């Protein structure tokens, strides 16, 4: 990439962000757009613009984001969202403190050396990008005393990271404890999840067996149990019933608006078959489905009980104590864990036995490892063919178009990065599906597992793949001619900094274009107004059209961690990338703060359980950075390269100490936390009913005290006898 192309890419991305920010300022002040820009506030019964400014100042949203407190985020979006901001703040602190020392120290040292000029090393774009190459470690002469400064920079970044991670872990632990000590009644704090139950004795049902088992162990605090059942058929009937109700409401809305009774055809997708009166037709189907549902509910509760259950206790302390106790001498019987929120439970996984879960887990890990390894092939292929020279060979007729200077510059700036982003967008759903297939019992746990897989996939296929694959493709002939180890090391060492320019553009594209689209919400706005105008007839359909969803941690967290890894690994080799890392996480903090307070609605609450996984992967990125620097300093034939080894060992020890000190408080609820008094006596029957899925309950969700946490029918494969 030429220097001019890089500046065009950066400038274009910035202009697009400014335009999108101005659009956001204008569009968010229109009352008809409030459901897109303020859905979180609307759902909580607040006025969209309450406590905000209606000024046309495009920076007003920044002031509101900066003045908001962590407690505001917890109140409006939950602890998990607040923990994500701890992550962003921690990384921002690491890069800012690192940049304060590295930028004024390493850039002058690199700029005043002459390695590239003396050796005539080919730069990133065949000699045209030397302006930035001269600011990188590639311009440092081998065995130069200046390498001491770069070694010191590795130590400085590592020590700063240890400090901020320790501080963040303590802060998140406090956040989690404060949330769990809340005086409010939360159903999941009075329940445990029991799996791997043995078969009941003759003459007892599964429910009678589990009740007698826990009543004997906890005679004073056991309340009742909810036994899982195979519930796929009743879910299907209930889903159809809800669909008929929506269609009936739509038909009635059309009648009220037009004073004409709507009709529809009874065949495939309403396109063929007999023409009937919609209101009468759907009323008849509803009555028929209700009868079928009641029959199937009785059959499920009587005949389809499984070997898993949710067990309820009268106090939080009893439930917390039971969740971390060994209930059976054999570890594959009576497996007990804390119960997730009712809306999180993946009931179809509860009946999977312990050893089956272990086998599934290893099989899926193996499959994901293969995916990581072989997904690099199409990514490397796309990276190779998306250069303009190769595209002209493959598609000759585009040559006249790309010879136009303006078009060529834009394509060189964005084409490879866009191709990479498209490939990455195809993966998350597959990884979430695989994570659920492991037998994981809750939605939040599955998202954490998918996030981890996506992170390692991104690191191997984006960072390592783009860096090493490009180097090997460019140097394979030279390596074949001289396959000595020192030749390979020298080629890799001289080629490694070249990828820094690709990642500078990649990060810039993500924070300017990505966060610009995030803030402006142009695409959701267009989709909402099209649906509202042409498709929506009822208030429920309108709400469904604008409902925002959550922060999508399964892709957002690994995406941020990928940028963290890239910035770490190039922070000493090409210190300029620290500026881009600071902008990415700083701008991300601002934009997401606005979205968390006004837009996104959490789909679950795990009280910060994502943090130990984030912490572990930040350390993994730091470890990779230290290994990369060990190799690169060695390639520079720096005699004291071995001094990096103590840092690598320290990172492993630091991770172990953090896990031993903090992780137990995330795996289980501490009894000193669970023993805090409630502001009112819990309604245990309401807590019990919160876990009953809609497909097995005649209770209306709108009237339920815990309706926000109630089980969702589409996630269920089971529930228990009453």
């Amino acid at each position: 990439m030429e220097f001019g192309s890089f500046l065009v890419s950066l400038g274009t991305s910035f202009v697009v962000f400014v335009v999108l920010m101005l659009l956001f300022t204008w569009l968010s002040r229109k009352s008809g757009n409030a459901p897109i820009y303020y859905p979180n506030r609307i759902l909580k019964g607040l006025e969209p613009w309450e406590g905000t400014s209606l000024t046309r100042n495009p920076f007003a949203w920044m002031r509101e984001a900066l003045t908001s407190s962590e407690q505001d985020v917890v109140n409006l979006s939950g602890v998990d969202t607040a923990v994500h901001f701890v992550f962003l703040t921690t990384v921002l602190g690491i890069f800012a403190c690192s940049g304060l020392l590295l930028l004024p120290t390493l850039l002058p040292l690199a700029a005043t050396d002459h390695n590239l000029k003396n050796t005539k090393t080919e730069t990133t774009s065949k000699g045209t990008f030397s302006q930035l190459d001269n600011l990188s470690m590639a311009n440092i002469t081998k065995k130069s005393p200046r390498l001491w400064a770069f070694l010191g920079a590795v130590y400085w970044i590592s020590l700063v990271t240890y400090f901020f991670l320790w501080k963040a872990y303590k802060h998140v632990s406090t956040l989690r404890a404060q949330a769990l000590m809340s005086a409010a009644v939360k159903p999941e704090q009075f329940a445990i999840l029991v799996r791997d139950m043995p078969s009941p004795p003759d003459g007892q049902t599964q429910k009678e067996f589990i009740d007698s088992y826990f009543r004997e162990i906890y005679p004073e605090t056991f309340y009742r149990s909810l036994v899982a059942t195979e519930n796929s058929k009743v879910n299907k009937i209930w889903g159809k019933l809800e669909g008929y109700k929506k269609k009936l409401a739509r038909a009635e809305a059309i009648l009220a608006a037009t004073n004409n009774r709507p009709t529809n055809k009874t065949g495939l997708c309403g396109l063929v078959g007999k023409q009937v009166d919609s209101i009468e037709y759907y009323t008849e189907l509803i009555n028929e489905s209700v009868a079928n549902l009641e029959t199937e509910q009785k059959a499920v509760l009587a005949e389809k009980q499984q070997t898993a259950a949710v067990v309820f206790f009268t106090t939080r302390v009893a439930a917390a104590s039971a969740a971390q106790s060994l209930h059976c001498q054999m570890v594959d019987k009576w497996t007990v864990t804390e119960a997730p929120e009712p809306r999180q439970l993946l009931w179809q996984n509860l009946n999977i036995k312990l050893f089956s879960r272990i086998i599934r887990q290893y099989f899926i890990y193996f499959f994901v490892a293969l995916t990581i390894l072989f997904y690099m092939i199409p990514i490397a292929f796309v990276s190779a063919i998306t250069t303009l020279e190769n595209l002209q060979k493959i598609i000759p007729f585009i040559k006249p178009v790309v010879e136009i200077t303006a078009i060529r510059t834009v394509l060189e700036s964005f084409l490879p990065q866009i191709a990479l982003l498209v490939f990455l967008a195809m993966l998350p759903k597959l990884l979430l599906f695989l994570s659920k297939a492991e037998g994981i019992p809750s939605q939040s746990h599955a998202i954490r597992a998918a996030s981890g897989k996506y992170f390692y996939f991104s690191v191997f296929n984006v960072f390592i793949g783009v860096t090493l694959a490009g180097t090997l493709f460019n140097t394979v002939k030279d390596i074949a001619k001289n396959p000595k180890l020192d030749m390979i090391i020298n080629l890799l060492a001289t080629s490694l900094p070249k990828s820094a320019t690709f990642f500078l553009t990649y990060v810039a594209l993500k924070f300017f274009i990505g966060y610009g689209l995030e803030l402006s919400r142009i695409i959701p706005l267009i989709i909402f107004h099209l649906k509202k105008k042409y498709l929506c007839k009822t208030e429920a359909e309108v709400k469904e059209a604008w409902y925002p969803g959550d922060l999508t941690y399964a892709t957002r967290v690994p995406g941020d961690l990928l940028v963290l890894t890239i910035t770490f690994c190039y922070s000493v080799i090409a210190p300029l990338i620290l500026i881009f890392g600071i902008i990415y996480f700083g701008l991300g903090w601002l934009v997401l703060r606005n979205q968390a307070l006004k837009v996104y609605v959490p789909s679950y609450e795990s009280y910060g359980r994502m943090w130990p996984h984030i912490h572990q992967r930040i350390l993994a990125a730091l470890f990779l950075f230290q290994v990369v620097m060990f190799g690169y300093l060695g390639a520079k034939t720096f005699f004291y390269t071995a001094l990096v080894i103590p840092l690598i060992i320290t990172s492993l020890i630091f991770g172990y100490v953090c896990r031993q000190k903090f992780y137990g408080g995330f795996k289980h609820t501490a009894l000193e936390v669970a023993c805090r008094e409630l502001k009112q006596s819990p309604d245990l029957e309401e807590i019990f009913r919160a876990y009953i899925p809609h497909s097995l309950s005649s209770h209306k969700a709108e009237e339920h005290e815990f309706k926000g946490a109630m089980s969702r029918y589409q996630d269920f494969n089971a529930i228990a006898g009453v």
Side-chain angles (χ1 to χ4, degrees):
M1 180 188 292
E2 297 180 359
F3 186 62
S5 297
F6 174 75
L7 292 180
V8 167
S9 171
L10 197 61
T12 305
S13 299
F14 176 73
V15 170
V16 170
F17 176 78
V18 171
V19 170
L20 291 172
M21 185 175 67
L22 294 174
L23 275 174
F24 162 75
T25 304
W26 177 54
L27 294 171
S28 64
R29 301 311 179 199
K30 296 183 176 295
S31 58
N33 297 335
I36 295 298
Y37 295 103
Y38 302 94
N40 191 339
R41 298 182 62 83
I42 292 172
L43 289 170
K44 286 182 167 55
L46 304 173
E47 289 295 325
W49 296 282
E50 181 182 340
T52 63
S53 174
L54 286 174
T55 177
R56 299 288 180 180
N57 182 354
F59 303 103
W61 65 273
M62 293 186 183
R63 184 180 65 250
E64 294 162 6
L66 289 168
T67 55
S68 64
S69 66
E70 186 174 68
Q71 192 57 47
D72 293 332
V73 176
V74 172
N75 293 341
L76 286 168
S77 288
V79 177
D80 288 331
T81 305
V83 168
H84 189 71
F85 283 105
V86 174
F87 162 54
L88 297 177
T89 305
T90 299
V91 177
L92 184 60
I94 291 171
F95 290 157
C97 288
S98 299
L100 285 175
L101 183 64
L102 268 60
L103 291 172
T105 303
L106 301 186
L107 291 180
L109 288 174
T112 54
D113 210 335
H114 307 288
N115 181 55
L116 295 176
K117 182 178 179 180
N118 294 337
T119 60
K120 296 182 180 180
T121 302
E122 186 178 343
T123 58
T124 305
S125 295
K126 299 183 180 179
T128 62
F129 210 77
S130 59
Q131 295 95 327
L132 290 186
D133 283 333
N134 288 335
L135 298 177
S136 74
M137 198 173 169
N139 200 35
I140 300 295
T141 306
K142 290 183 178 182
K143 300 182 181 180
S144 170
R146 300 183 185 215
L147 291 170
W148 276 105
F150 291 86
L151 175 62
V154 178
Y155 266 82
W156 173 249
I157 291 175
S158 300
L159 294 175
V160 166
T161 303
Y162 300 147
F163 171 76
F164 276 97
L165 284 181
W166 184 269
K167 182 180 176 183
Y169 221 141
K170 289 179 67 176
H171 180 55
V172 174
S173 295
T174 301
L175 266 179
R176 174 175 167 83
Q178 289 174 345
L180 293 173
M181 287 190 294
S182 169
V185 176
K186 300 179 177 70
E188 62 274 13
Q189 290 188 293
F190 291 84
I192 62 172
L193 183 61
V194 182
R195 306 172 77 180
D196 306 305
M197 293 158 49
S199 299
D202 293 338
Q204 277 191 326
T205 64
Q206 197 73 56
K207 177 173 173 54
E208 291 170 343
F209 181 42
I210 192 172
D211 284 354
S212 63
Y213 181 84
F214 279 94
R215 187 174 289 113
E216 181 179 355
I217 300 174
Y218 306 99
E220 296 181 356
T221 55
F222 171 75
Y223 176 60
R224 65 191 301 185
S225 66
L226 200 62
V227 181
T229 60
E230 199 291 309
N231 204 32
S232 57
K233 186 175 179 181
V234 75
N235 283 343
K236 186 177 180 180
I237 296 172
W238 192 86
K240 287 183 177 180
L241 174 60
E242 290 301 300
Y244 296 148
K245 288 180 179 179
K246 289 180 181 179
K247 291 178 179 179
L248 176 61
R250 179 183 178 88
E252 290 174 341
I254 293 173
L255 174 62
T258 64
N259 206 27
N260 293 321
R261 295 185 70 85
T263 61
N264 66 278
K265 294 183 178 181
T266 59
L268 181 65
C269 299
L271 300 176
V272 295
K274 181 182 178 182
Q275 193 86 10
V276 295
D277 182 282
S278 296
I279 295 177
E280 294 179 357
Y281 177 66
Y282 289 121
T283 300
E284 182 180 343
L285 287 177
I286 288 171
N287 293 333
E288 182 181 329
S289 296
V290 168
N292 293 337
L293 181 65
E294 291 175 351
T295 302
E296 184 60 27
Q297 283 176 340
K298 293 176 182 177
V300 165
L301 296 175
E303 303 170 6
K304 299 183 180 181
Q305 294 183 357
Q306 296 181 330
T307 57
V310 180
V311 175
F312 301 89
F313 294 85
T314 56
T315 66
R316 297 196 294 189
V317 174
S321 178
Q324 48 195 289
S325 300
L326 184 65
H327 286 77
C328 183
Q329 189 69 23
M330 300 294 113
V331 295
D332 62 335
K333 303 294 183 185
W334 298 103
T335 305
V336 175
T337 59
E338 291 185 354
E341 290 179 303
R343 58 183 171 177
Q344 288 194 54
L345 274 171
L346 302 175
W347 291 88
Q348 68 271 22
N349 287 346
L350 298 189
N351 198 46
I352 301 173
K353 296 296 185 180
L354 176 64
F355 292 119
S356 177
R357 298 197 297 270
I358 294 172
I359 293 171
R360 283 168 174 246
Q361 186 179 57
Y362 282 114
F363 175 79
I364 288 171
Y365 284 175
F366 176 73
F367 180 80
V368 170
L370 291 179
T371 303
I372 289 173
L373 291 174
F374 290 105
Y375 215 75
M376 190 182 294
I377 295 173
I379 283 188
F381 177 73
V382 169
S383 298
I385 68 170
T386 50
T387 61
L388 289 184
E389 291 78 7
N390 289 333
L391 282 177
Q392 289 179 56
K393 295 176 183 177
I394 298 170
I395 315 174
F397 61 82
I398 69 167
K399 188 174 181 179
V401 178
V402 299
E403 285 180 350
I404 301 172
T405 304
I407 295 177
R408 183 182 186 88
T409 300
V410 171
L411 289 177
E412 284 184 338
S413 302
F414 293 109
L415 192 60
Q417 289 79 11
I418 291 174
L420 182 59
L421 291 173
V422 169
F423 259 86
L424 290 177
M426 297 165 58
L427 195 66
K429 288 188 176 180
L430 171 64
L431 295 180
L432 185 59
F433 169 79
L434 292 174
S435 296
K436 290 181 179 180
E438 292 178 31
I440 287 172
S442 69
Q443 182 74 10
S444 63
H445 190 175
I447 287 174
R448 292 196 298 273
S451 171
K453 295 178 180 69
Y454 194 46
F455 166 68
Y456 291 114
F457 174 89
S458 301
V459 168
F460 276 95
N461 285 280
V462 179
F463 173 66
I464 295 178
V466 169
T467 302
L468 296 186
T471 300
L472 291 174
F473 280 135
N474 293 331
T475 60
V476 65
K477 291 183 179 179
D478 295 328
I479 293 174
K481 291 178 182 177
N482 186 9
K484 293 181 180 179
L485 182 61
D486 61 336
M487 174 64 178
I488 296 173
I489 292 175
N490 286 334
L491 287 171
L492 291 176
T494 54
S495 300
L496 189 61
K498 297 179 183 181
S499 298
T501 55
F502 170 86
F503 288 120
L504 284 173
T505 311
Y506 176 78
V507 174
L509 183 65
K510 285 203 72 171
F511 66 67
F512 277 139
I513 305 297
Y515 284 132
L517 290 171
E518 174 72 61
L519 180 67
S520 64
R521 289 180 61 78
I522 291 294
I523 296 174
L525 181 69
I526 293 172
I527 292 173
F528 165 67
H529 282 296
L530 287 174
K531 285 184 174 181
K532 184 179 180 182
K533 183 174 180 64
Y534 297 108
L535 299 177
C536 299
K537 301 298 181 182
T538 66
E539 288 299 319
E541 290 176 338
V542 173
K543 181 179 178 180
E544 187 176 343
W546 60 253
Y547 195 83
D550 61 14
L551 274 170
T552 58
Y553 297 109
T555 53
R556 190 178 299 278
V557 171
D560 291 344
L561 286 170
L562 174 61
V563 175
L564 165 78
T565 304
I566 292 169
T567 309
F568 259 152
C569 290
Y570 283 95
S571 58
V572 175
I573 293 174
L576 205 63
I577 203 169
L578 282 169
I579 297 174
F580 289 81
I582 291 168
I583 296 173
Y584 177 86
F585 286 98
L587 188 60
W589 189 96
L590 274 175
V591 171
L592 293 180
R593 193 77 160 195
N594 178 81
Q595 307 301 77
L597 294 171
K598 300 172 184 176
V599 179
Y600 291 118
V601 179
S603 59
Y604 63 82
E605 179 61 80
S606 69
Y607 307 103
R609 289 289 297 272
M610 178 67 87
W611 175 254
H613 299 262
I614 293 175
H615 177 271
Q616 183 179 4
R617 277 141 207 157
I618 294 175
L619 276 179
L622 180 67
F623 180 84
L624 180 61
F625 157 66
Q626 292 165 344
V627 171
V628 165
M629 289 311 303
F630 176 78
Y632 194 66
L633 286 169
K636 286 288 185 180
T637 60
F638 183 52
F639 184 74
Y640 297 98
T641 297
L643 291 177
V644 178
I645 294 176
L647 275 181
I648 297 174
I649 297 172
T650 302
S651 294
L652 297 174
I653 295 173
F654 179 79
Y656 175 78
V657 171
C658 286
R659 184 174 181 85
Q660 293 299 113
K661 181 176 177 64
F662 297 111
Y663 183 67
F666 287 82
K667 185 177 181 181
H668 301 294
T669 300
L671 298 185
E672 68 172 0
V673 171
C675 72
R676 299 304 175 95
E677 292 185 3
L678 298 168
K679 63 182 179 182
Q680 62 184 28
S681 297
D683 186 335
L684 297 175
E685 187 60 25
E686 281 292 307
I687 290 171
F688 171 79
R689 287 158 63 188
Y691 278 86
I692 301 177
H694 300 321
S695 58
L696 286 178
S697 175
S698 58
H699 190 73
K700 294 182 180 179
E702 304 82 46
E703 301 172 359
H704 202 288
E705 181 182 345
F706 305 113
K707 62 182 179 181
M710 283 188 72
S711 301
R712 291 175 288 189
Y713 85 93
Q714 60 266 35
D715 293 334
F716 288 144
N717 203 25
I719 192 67
V722 181

